[in-house]
Amino acid sequence: MESYRKELWFEASRRRELINITSYIDQCLKESSIKEGLVLVNAMHITASVFINDDESGLHSDFEKWLEKLAPEKPYSQYQHNGFEDNADAHLKRTIMGREVVVAVTEGKLDLGPWEQVFYGEFDGMRKKRVLIKIIGE
Amino acid sequence: MESYRKELWFEASRRRELINITSYIDQCLKESSIKEGLVLVNAMHITASVFINDDESGLHSDFEKWLEKLAPEKPYSQYQHNGFEDNADAHLKRTIMGREVVVAVTEGKLDLGPWEQVFYGEFDGMRKKRVLIKIIGE
Amino acid sequence: MESYRKELWFEASRRRELINITSYIDQCLKESSIKEGLVLVNAMHITASVFINDDESGLHSDFEKWLEKLAPEKPYSQYQHNGFEDNADAHLKRTIMGREVVVAVTEGKLDLGPWEQVFYGEFDGMRKKRVLIKIIGE
């Protein structure tokens, strides 16, 4: 069994942003030379997400509006977590979107469906944060 | 390390449907001859889900009502994604239900708890869609 | 490839409780002697969750309030599942929080970000329930 590990760093320019990271994962998979196995891709921070969905700007606007409805950013005082911080909503939004994805590796490629794209979802941005890529297989 | 891959095809007769796929995964695991490892089961489409819960019809009705409350199908015009499509709600519903499950394989069997059953959750049905099963182990 | 399996048992004293289980998983990883691979940690029950977030009591209060807003426990009669049972809300809450996490193993350690802690989320407690830990790697 072979394994590969890499950290990707992101710094979103806004509080919330969805970044397509599929090509970075493709690149890591090539570097790993692993042909059959599993890729784990996870946010290393608890106010961010890695998830799979469509790369369509209308849908991304829908996600923004929907997450704000389910877990509004403001008023900050509605959350007990917001004593010294103001990011409780980001913890909740990331919970809905998910921390991680596991993707199959088949014949040296990410085994994704036709519209599946991997995103880094930032919900408390404007600082450097990391995504972990771990690949195991042969 | 051994690996196994299979696609399962489903065509739900309604827009939304929950299909118990545990026996299909059991069958794949037998075909794979893998005794210890992990199974990844994921929807290959971004308006569908693979998740684990109870096979109880009352609960399934509760899921339907609850998902319609959190991410209503109509009016279609409430979502920016719904220009040429009408399935934005399905992207959101699948986000809540999850894309994938990872299940342990122990002594050649799916290592599930007493009531755990694996479901394909269709939220934009009436067309052919796929689930990917990838097993790695020994 | 090596594999390791352990069940952890919990009995929450209340209906809902969040228990930090990171140190138990650390201990299992040491027992396994696996240096590179993946750990799967999943609830074996469908009214409980394993998830990763911050070990901060204010945030945990926020989770309680938020989950009660999205999937209220009462009135019990609002759910069709609640014929002989009263735990439909627990099935829904666990769906939001997630069944499982997959964590990378690197150089013999859980490869977690700075604030990532693994929790068992109980939503229908006061009875014995299990978490499964499965580690594969080398």
Side-chain angles (χ1 to χ4, degrees):
Chain A
M1 200 202 77
E2 301 293 318
S3 70
Y4 172 96
R5 178 192 192 274
K6 189 152 196 172
E7 291 180 5
L8 302 176
W9 287 84
F10 296 98
E11 184 169 3
S13 58
R14 291 172 294 154
R15 183 175 172 108
R16 289 189 287 278
E17 199 168 329
L18 305 183
I19 301 169
N20 190 330
I21 62 173
T22 315
S23 62
Y24 298 107
I25 307 168
D26 271 331
Q27 185 57 38
C28 289
L29 184 53
K30 275 180 199 135
E31 284 177 26
S32 77
S33 300
I34 289 173
K35 300 299 181 198
E36 297 292 328
L38 295 176
V39 184
L40 168 69
V41 188
N42 69 266
M44 297 186 77
H45 300 260
I46 52 197
T47 51
S49 169
V50 170
F51 68 96
I52 286 179
N53 219 302
D54 197 357
D55 198 351
E56 197 280 304
S57 63
L59 182 67
H60 293 193
S61 301
D62 295 331
F63 271 126
E64 164 65 20
K65 188 177 159 191
W66 182 63
L67 290 171
E68 267 295 282
K69 191 179 74 174
L70 294 183
E73 178 186 338
K74 299 174 186 174
Y76 295 126
S77 62
Q78 74 190 294
Y79 301 111
Q80 292 195 41
H81 181 62
N82 287 342
F84 299 95
E85 301 199 81
D86 67 3
N87 64 3
D89 70 299
H91 290 268
L92 305 183
K93 287 178 170 100
R94 112 73 178 256
T95 299
I96 288 180
M97 300 304 288
R99 167 189 180 259
E100 80 216 10
V101 298
V102 177
V103 178
V105 177
T106 301
E107 297 178 0
K109 292 191 177 157
L110 291 176
D111 201 339
L112 294 169
W115 298 98
E116 287 196 302
Q117 294 286 301
V118 187
F119 288 90
Y120 175 65
E122 176 63 82
F123 304 111
D124 183 30
M126 295 178 286
R127 55 202 180 90
K128 287 189 174 180
K129 290 162 83 174
R130 284 175 288 165
V131 165
L132 179 64
I133 296 177
K134 185 90 181 187
I135 311 174
I136 68 167
E138 278 186 343
Chain B
M1 200 202 76
E2 300 293 318
S3 69
Y4 172 95
R5 178 192 193 275
K6 188 152 195 173
E7 292 179 5
L8 302 177
W9 287 84
F10 297 97
E11 185 168 4
S13 58
R14 292 173 293 156
R15 183 175 173 108
R16 289 189 287 277
E17 197 167 331
L18 306 183
I19 300 169
N20 189 331
I21 61 172
T22 315
S23 63
Y24 298 106
I25 306 167
D26 271 331
Q27 185 56 39
C28 289
L29 184 53
K30 274 181 200 135
E31 283 175 26
S32 77
S33 300
I34 290 172
K35 300 299 181 198
E36 297 291 329
L38 296 176
V39 184
L40 168 69
V41 189
N42 68 267
M44 297 186 77
H45 299 260
I46 53 199
T47 51
S49 170
V50 171
F51 68 96
I52 285 180
N53 219 302
D54 197 356
D55 198 350
E56 197 279 305
S57 63
L59 182 66
H60 293 193
S61 300
D62 294 332
F63 271 125
E64 163 66 20
K65 188 176 159 191
W66 183 63
L67 290 170
E68 267 294 283
K69 192 179 73 175
L70 294 183
E73 178 186 337
K74 298 174 186 173
Y76 295 127
S77 61
Q78 74 189 294
Y79 301 111
Q80 291 194 41
H81 181 62
N82 287 341
F84 299 95
E85 302 199 81
D86 67 3
N87 65 2
D89 70 298
H91 290 267
L92 305 183
K93 287 179 171 101
R94 112 72 177 259
T95 299
I96 288 181
M97 299 305 287
R99 167 189 180 261
E100 80 215 11
V101 297
V102 177
V103 178
V105 176
T106 302
E107 297 178 0
K109 291 190 178 158
L110 290 176
D111 201 339
L112 293 169
W115 299 98
E116 286 196 303
Q117 294 287 302
V118 186
F119 288 89
Y120 175 65
E122 176 62 82
F123 304 111
D124 183 29
M126 296 177 286
R127 53 202 180 91
K128 287 190 174 181
K129 290 163 82 174
R130 284 174 290 163
V131 166
L132 178 65
I133 297 177
K134 185 90 181 186
I135 311 174
I136 68 167
E138 277 186 344
Chain C
M1 199 203 77
E2 300 293 319
S3 69
Y4 171 96
R5 179 193 193 273
K6 189 152 194 172
E7 291 180 5
L8 302 175
W9 286 84
F10 297 98
E11 184 169 4
S13 58
R14 292 172 293 156
R15 183 174 172 107
R16 288 189 288 276
E17 198 168 329
L18 305 184
I19 301 169
N20 188 330
I21 62 173
T22 316
S23 62
Y24 298 106
I25 306 167
D26 271 331
Q27 185 56 40
C28 290
L29 184 52
K30 274 181 199 135
E31 284 175 26
S32 76
S33 300
I34 289 172
K35 301 300 181 198
E36 297 291 330
L38 295 176
V39 184
L40 168 70
V41 188
N42 69 265
M44 297 186 75
H45 300 260
I46 52 198
T47 52
S49 169
V50 170
F51 68 96
I52 285 180
N53 219 303
D54 197 357
D55 197 351
E56 198 279 305
S57 63
L59 181 67
H60 294 193
S61 300
D62 295 331
F63 271 125
E64 163 66 20
K65 188 177 159 191
W66 182 63
L67 290 171
E68 267 294 283
K69 191 179 74 175
L70 294 184
E73 178 186 337
K74 298 174 186 173
Y76 295 127
S77 61
Q78 74 190 293
Y79 301 111
Q80 291 195 41
H81 180 61
N82 287 342
F84 299 95
E85 302 198 80
D86 67 3
N87 64 4
D89 71 299
H91 290 267
L92 305 183
K93 287 179 169 100
R94 112 73 178 258
T95 299
I96 288 180
M97 299 305 288
R99 168 189 180 260
E100 79 216 11
V101 297
V102 177
V103 178
V105 176
T106 302
E107 297 179 0
K109 291 189 178 158
L110 290 176
D111 201 339
L112 293 169
W115 298 99
E116 287 196 303
Q117 295 286 302
V118 186
F119 289 90
Y120 174 65
E122 176 62 83
F123 304 110
D124 183 29
M126 297 179 284
R127 55 202 181 90
K128 288 190 173 179
K129 290 161 82 173
R130 283 174 290 164
V131 166
L132 178 64
I133 297 178
K134 184 89 181 188
I135 312 174
I136 68 167
E138 278 186 342

